[in-house]
Amino acid sequence: MRPVLCVDTTASSEKSAKEKFSKEFEKIQEEMKTMKMEHARVVQENEATLTNTKNQWAARLKDEINILNIEHTEEIQLLKYEHSQEVSSLEDNCVALEMKISALEHRYKHRESRPEDVEKIKYLESQITELNMVIKGKISENKHLKLELLNQEDSFNKIF
């Protein structure tokens, strides 16, 4: 009878080992289920953290872009203002230079004659007057000679 008892104990110990392994397997399965749930929770938290971080960086970058756009706009306005001031200054300078040129041209056109030029003009005018008198004398002499020639011709024609 002993062998039956041995088989019985062996069967019983196998059953108990099977139950023990079954319980351990269920326990491990529960732990795995818990770990999978924990893993899913951690993944979800990490994804939420990542999304939150992305959103924070996007907002931060958007704020920085807005600040840079504002600074850029202000700098452009400042440069436009400086440019308009410089253009205005250059236009004023241009007007002043044009007035100066006009004054210098007027002064040049209405300048006093040089004494040597005045002397030369007087000399040339006197020469012209003298030559005009000589020409008038020659013209009247020529006229007189023509009349005399005509007279002589008339006299000669009367005689012959």
Side-chain angles (χ1 to χ4, degrees), residues 101-118:
I101 288 171
S102 177
L104 289 172
E105 284 177 344
H106 181 269
R107 188 173 147 204
Y108 177 75
K109 288 178 182 177
H110 297 90
R111 70 186 181 276
E112 297 262 335
S113 299
R114 297 183 312 177
E116 56 268 9
D117 290 341
V118 171

Side-chain angles (χ1 to χ4, degrees), residues 56-70:
Q56 286 175 350
W57 276 105
R60 200 185 225 171
L61 289 174
K62 188 175 180 180
D63 290 343
E64 285 183 29
I65 288 172
N66 287 337
I67 289 169
L68 289 173
N69 282 336
I70 290 169

Side-chain angles (χ1 to χ4, degrees), residues 19-20 23 41 66 78 80-81 88 91 95 115 118 151 160:
E19 283 178 13
K20 184 178 173 187
K23 283 183 183 179
R41 185 188 63 77
N66 287 337
L78 176 66
K80 283 182 179 179
Y81 175 75
S88 176
E91 286 174 349
V95 168
V118 171
N151 241 351
F160 297 107

Side-chain angles (χ1 to χ4, degrees), residues 6-154:
C6 190
V7 171
D8 217 13
T9 52
T10 317
S12 163
S13 86
E14 274 183 28
K15 193 177 189 184
S16 133
K18 194 176 188 183
E19 283 178 13
K20 184 178 173 187
F21 286 130
S22 185
K23 283 183 183 179
E24 265 186 59
F25 182 71
E26 284 177 15
K27 186 178 175 185
I28 289 173
Q29 278 184 333
E30 280 297 316
E31 282 179 15
M32 278 183 62
K33 195 178 198 182
T34 306
M35 285 182 164
K36 282 182 182 179
M37 288 173 53
E38 179 66 21
H39 178 263
R41 185 188 63 77
V42 168
V43 166
Q44 192 174 18
E45 283 178 4
N46 285 342
E47 286 176 354
T49 303
L50 180 63
T51 303
N52 188 24
T53 305
K54 280 182 181 179
N55 290 339
Q56 286 175 350
W57 276 105
R60 200 185 225 171
L61 289 174
K62 188 175 180 180
D63 290 343
E64 285 183 29
I65 288 172
N66 287 337
I67 289 169
L68 289 173
N69 282 336
I70 290 169
E71 288 174 357
H72 182 254
T73 303
E74 289 172 353
E75 188 172 341
I76 286 175
Q77 288 175 347
L78 176 66
L79 289 173
K80 283 182 179 179
Y81 175 75
E82 288 174 355
H83 177 70
S84 68
Q85 291 295 324
E86 186 67 26
V87 166
S88 176
S89 173
L90 290 173
E91 286 174 349
D92 292 344
N93 192 16
C94 187
V95 168
L97 288 173
E98 286 174 351
M99 288 174 57
K100 192 173 183 180
I101 288 171
S102 177
L104 289 172
E105 284 177 344
H106 181 269
R107 188 173 147 204
Y108 177 75
K109 288 178 182 177
H110 297 90
R111 70 186 181 276
E112 297 262 335
S113 299
R114 297 183 312 177
E116 56 268 9
D117 290 341
V118 171
E119 187 179 312
K120 189 166 191 169
I121 289 170
K122 284 181 183 177
Y123 171 75
L124 291 173
E125 284 175 345
S126 70
Q127 289 292 320
I128 289 172
T129 306
E130 285 178 24
L131 288 174
N132 278 339
M133 288 169 60
V134 169
I135 290 172
K136 283 180 186 176
K138 295 293 181 182
I139 288 174
S140 83
E141 188 181 322
N142 192 14
K143 211 182 234 182
H144 177 65
L145 288 173
K146 277 184 181 179
L147 286 174
E148 195 177 305
L149 186 63
L150 276 176
N151 241 351
Q152 282 180 1
E153 197 174 298
D154 278 343

